[in-house]
Amino acid sequence: MSVTDEDRRHLRAAIAEAFAAKARGDQPYGGVLVAASGEVLATAGATVTTGNDFAAHGEMNALRAARRDHGMESLRGATMYASGEPCPMCAGAMYWAGISRVVYGLDGPVISRITGLPADAGRLSCRAAFAAGPRPTIVEGPTLTDEAAAVFRS
């Protein structure tokens, strides 16, 4: 499978969520969760700082909102669009929720280089985390890297 124009549209929405998160003082990450049917289930930015919750990454917030508003079954077979490569925590949550595909903008090592975060911040790729489970998860990315990097450079 390859990234489509529809994928790029949803990924741009995730990047917009990352810009909004950064503007309110949170980490610059966003997620958009789209059902297998194509329905947008949830959009969210990170609220780690403003929500005082270390686990409130953009992808986690989108998963929680979609489950709350549409039920657990709606997550099965969905696609997560993430402005940055999902961390191992988010990848694990997506795996257990039944997400079948992830499309992300910027990978962990590049985020580390741009932000000056320690190199270990991107040490475990989401591909490796998903590969640890027996159910396949398609991972597409990095894509729209210049647009995704802009949130870290602004």
Side-chain angles (χ1 to χ4, degrees):
M1 189 171 230
S2 62
V3 177
T4 66
D5 287 341
E6 187 77 1
D7 291 327
R8 284 185 275 281
R9 184 173 68 81
H10 292 306
L11 185 54
R12 285 185 175 107
I15 294 167
E17 288 290 337
F19 273 107
K22 184 176 183 177
R24 71 174 167 266
D26 278 297
Q27 296 175 345
Y29 296 96
V32 173
L33 189 59
V34 178
S37 67
E39 176 188 5
V40 175
L41 298 172
T43 64
T47 56
V48 171
T49 303
T50 59
N52 198 31
D53 179 355
F54 59 84
H57 295 189
E59 303 95 325
M60 294 294 287
N61 288 341
L63 285 168
R64 289 173 178 149
R67 187 223 19 97
R68 180 191 66 231
D69 296 343
H70 302 281
M72 280 295 290
E73 197 54 39
S74 70
L75 305 178
R76 302 226 176 275
T79 297
M80 176 65 76
Y81 296 89
S83 60
E85 181 177 6
C87 72
M89 175 189 68
C90 291
M94 286 184 246
Y95 179 84
W96 292 113
I99 304 305
S100 64
R101 184 168 175 251
V102 176
V103 179
Y104 69 87
L106 205 58
D107 66 15
V110 173
I111 293 170
S112 291
R113 282 195 300 276
I114 292 171
T115 62
L117 291 171
D120 66 346
R123 73 188 174 285
L124 179 61
S125 75
C126 68
R127 280 182 175 82
F130 287 123
R135 183 178 35 79
T137 303
I138 298 166
V139 179
E140 309 264 8
T143 189
L144 298 179
T145 56
D146 289 339
E147 293 175 49
V151 72
F152 292 98
R153 293 186 172 126
S154 64

